[in-house]
Amino acid sequence: MKKFPEKTGKEKRFGFSGAERLKSRKSIESIFSEGISVSRYPLRLIYIRTGNPSPGNIQAGVAVPKRNFKSAVSRNRIKRLLRESYRRNKEVLFNNIEGGFAFLFLYLGKEMPEYAQIELGMLKVFKEFIKKINDEEEHA
Protein backbone atom coordinates (compact mmCIF):
# COMPACT_ATOMS: atom_id res chain seq x y z
CA MET A 1 0.00 0.00 0.00
CA LYS A 2 1.29 3.44 -0.98
CA LYS A 3 1.97 5.94 1.78
CA PHE A 4 1.61 9.61 1.16
CA PRO A 5 3.87 12.10 2.92
CA GLU A 6 2.24 13.80 5.86
CA LYS A 7 1.29 17.42 5.44
CA THR A 8 3.20 19.88 7.55
CA GLY A 9 0.98 22.83 6.77
CA LYS A 10 3.73 24.67 4.87
CA GLU A 11 2.80 23.40 1.41
CA LYS A 12 1.03 25.73 -0.97
CA ARG A 13 -2.68 25.12 -1.29
CA PHE A 14 -3.73 24.88 -4.90
CA GLY A 15 -7.30 24.33 -5.88
CA PHE A 16 -9.94 25.20 -8.40
CA SER A 17 -13.19 25.02 -6.47
CA GLY A 18 -16.69 25.19 -7.88
CA ALA A 19 -17.01 28.81 -6.73
CA GLU A 20 -14.01 29.74 -8.89
CA ARG A 21 -15.38 28.12 -12.05
CA LEU A 22 -17.18 30.22 -14.61
CA LYS A 23 -20.41 28.32 -15.22
CA SER A 24 -23.16 30.90 -15.69
CA ARG A 25 -24.38 31.09 -19.27
CA LYS A 26 -25.26 34.76 -18.74
CA SER A 27 -21.72 35.56 -17.58
CA ILE A 28 -20.15 33.70 -20.50
CA GLU A 29 -22.38 35.54 -22.98
CA SER A 30 -21.51 38.89 -21.40
CA ILE A 31 -17.80 38.06 -21.61
CA PHE A 32 -18.10 37.41 -25.35
CA SER A 33 -20.23 40.50 -25.97
CA GLU A 34 -18.61 43.06 -23.62
CA GLY A 35 -15.27 41.52 -22.72
CA ILE A 36 -11.82 42.95 -23.21
CA SER A 37 -9.22 40.59 -24.62
CA VAL A 38 -5.51 40.07 -24.15
CA SER A 39 -3.65 37.69 -26.46
CA ARG A 40 -0.31 35.97 -26.20
CA TYR A 41 0.04 32.98 -28.46
CA PRO A 42 -1.26 30.29 -27.94
CA LEU A 43 -3.82 31.81 -25.53
CA ARG A 44 -6.36 34.60 -25.48
CA LEU A 45 -7.81 35.89 -22.24
CA ILE A 46 -11.19 37.61 -22.41
CA TYR A 47 -12.26 39.29 -19.19
CA ILE A 48 -14.84 41.55 -17.60
CA ARG A 49 -15.04 43.16 -14.19
CA THR A 50 -17.77 41.68 -12.04
CA GLY A 51 -20.02 43.57 -9.67
CA ASN A 52 -18.54 41.96 -6.56
CA PRO A 53 -15.46 44.00 -5.54
CA SER A 54 -14.24 41.61 -2.83
CA PRO A 55 -10.59 40.63 -3.35
CA GLY A 56 -9.98 37.20 -4.78
CA ASN A 57 -13.41 36.98 -6.37
CA ILE A 58 -12.24 35.61 -9.68
CA GLN A 59 -14.12 33.13 -11.84
CA ALA A 60 -12.41 31.39 -14.74
CA GLY A 61 -13.48 29.20 -17.62
CA VAL A 62 -11.72 27.61 -20.59
CA ALA A 63 -12.70 27.02 -24.20
CA VAL A 64 -11.19 25.26 -27.20
CA PRO A 65 -12.73 25.85 -30.64
CA LYS A 66 -14.30 22.88 -32.35
CA ARG A 67 -13.15 24.33 -35.67
CA ASN A 68 -9.50 23.59 -34.84
CA PHE A 69 -9.98 20.32 -32.94
CA LYS A 70 -12.73 18.08 -34.29
CA SER A 71 -12.15 15.34 -31.73
CA ALA A 72 -13.79 15.89 -28.34
CA VAL A 73 -10.96 13.90 -26.77
CA SER A 74 -8.41 16.45 -28.03
CA ARG A 75 -10.52 19.43 -26.92
CA ASN A 76 -11.00 17.94 -23.46
CA ARG A 77 -7.28 17.24 -23.12
CA ILE A 78 -6.42 20.85 -23.95
CA LYS A 79 -9.08 22.12 -21.54
CA ARG A 80 -7.58 19.96 -18.78
CA LEU A 81 -4.15 21.42 -19.51
CA LEU A 82 -5.54 24.97 -19.43
CA ARG A 83 -7.33 24.42 -16.11
CA GLU A 84 -4.24 22.83 -14.56
CA SER A 85 -2.01 25.68 -15.68
CA TYR A 86 -4.47 28.25 -14.32
CA ARG A 87 -4.79 26.36 -11.03
CA ARG A 88 -1.02 26.19 -10.50
CA ASN A 89 -0.31 29.82 -11.46
CA LYS A 90 -3.37 31.76 -10.28
CA GLU A 91 -1.49 33.15 -7.29
CA VAL A 92 0.24 35.50 -9.77
CA LEU A 93 -3.17 37.07 -10.41
CA PHE A 94 -4.39 37.04 -6.82
CA ASN A 95 -1.25 38.84 -5.64
CA ASN A 96 -1.34 41.57 -8.30
CA ILE A 97 -4.96 42.60 -8.83
CA GLU A 98 -7.87 43.76 -6.74
CA GLY A 99 -11.58 43.39 -7.34
CA GLY A 100 -13.73 40.78 -9.01
CA PHE A 101 -13.20 39.47 -12.52
CA ALA A 102 -14.59 36.82 -14.82
CA PHE A 103 -12.05 35.22 -17.16
CA LEU A 104 -12.38 33.03 -20.21
CA PHE A 105 -9.23 31.42 -21.61
CA LEU A 106 -9.30 30.45 -25.30
CA TYR A 107 -6.74 28.19 -26.92
CA LEU A 108 -5.71 29.65 -30.30
CA GLY A 109 -3.21 27.04 -31.52
CA LYS A 110 -3.93 24.47 -34.19
CA GLU A 111 -1.78 21.60 -32.88
CA MET A 112 -1.89 19.59 -29.66
CA PRO A 113 0.23 21.46 -27.08
CA GLU A 114 2.55 20.25 -24.36
CA TYR A 115 1.89 21.39 -20.80
CA ALA A 116 5.05 23.56 -20.81
CA GLN A 117 3.73 25.55 -23.81
CA ILE A 118 0.40 26.13 -22.10
CA GLU A 119 2.02 27.19 -18.83
CA LEU A 120 4.38 29.61 -20.58
CA GLY A 121 1.46 31.09 -22.53
CA MET A 122 -0.61 31.36 -19.35
CA LEU A 123 2.15 33.29 -17.56
CA LYS A 124 2.56 35.62 -20.56
CA VAL A 125 -1.18 36.29 -20.65
CA PHE A 126 -1.24 36.96 -16.89
CA LYS A 127 1.66 39.41 -17.23
CA GLU A 128 -0.02 41.26 -20.09
CA PHE A 129 -3.36 41.33 -18.24
CA ILE A 130 -1.80 42.76 -15.07
CA LYS A 131 0.00 45.39 -17.14
CA LYS A 132 -3.25 46.36 -18.87
CA ILE A 133 -5.20 46.57 -15.59
CA ASN A 134 -2.50 48.70 -13.97
CA ASP A 135 -2.47 51.06 -16.96
CA GLU A 136 -6.28 51.39 -16.76
CA GLU A 137 -6.12 52.21 -13.05
CA GLU A 138 -3.41 54.84 -13.60
CA HIS A 139 -5.46 56.60 -16.29
CA ALA A 140 -8.72 56.49 -14.33
Side-chain angles (χ1 to χ4, degrees):
M1 187 165 190
K2 222 180 209 184
K3 282 197 168 188
F4 294 101
E6 294 197 25
K7 292 189 177 183
T8 61
K10 294 183 181 179
E11 295 89 14
K12 289 183 181 177
R13 299 266 176 179
F14 297 109
F16 192 40
S17 67
E20 292 179 77
R21 293 180 190 263
L22 182 65
K23 297 181 270 189
S24 165
R25 182 173 290 233
K26 190 184 288 188
S27 295
I28 293 170
E29 287 174 0
S30 67
I31 285 176
F32 278 116
S33 64
E34 305 163 19
I36 302 166
S37 84
V38 175
S39 293
R40 284 291 169 261
Y41 188 82
L43 300 177
R44 173 177 289 151
L45 167 63
I46 306 173
Y47 68 93
I48 57 171
R49 287 188 184 266
T50 57
N52 193 346
S54 65
N57 184 24
I58 296 176
Q59 290 187 316
V62 297
V64 179
K66 194 172 186 178
R67 181 187 318 152
N68 295 343
F69 295 93
K70 304 293 186 209
S71 166
V73 173
S74 299
R75 288 193 306 276
N76 291 338
R77 167 86 176 138
I78 295 169
K79 289 190 280 188
R80 271 195 307 274
L81 292 172
L82 288 168
R83 281 191 295 267
E84 179 68 5
S85 178
Y86 172 76
R87 183 185 72 83
R88 296 181 82 192
N89 295 297
K90 67 182 177 181
E91 66 186 28
V92 172
L93 286 179
F94 283 92
N95 293 334
N96 292 303
I97 62 171
E98 293 180 9
F101 287 93
F103 294 137
L104 187 65
F105 294 96
L106 297 172
Y107 182 71
L108 303 175
K110 297 196 185 313
E111 64 281 335
M112 182 61 74
E114 296 289 323
Y115 177 74
Q117 289 175 288
I118 295 286
E119 189 167 36
L120 185 62
M122 187 72 68
L123 291 171
K124 285 180 182 177
V125 163
F126 284 170
K127 191 174 183 180
E128 188 68 25
F129 167 73
I130 292 166
K131 181 180 167 189
K132 193 168 190 173
I133 290 297
N134 290 337
D135 287 347
E136 286 177 9
E137 290 174 356
E138 285 177 9
H139 289 78

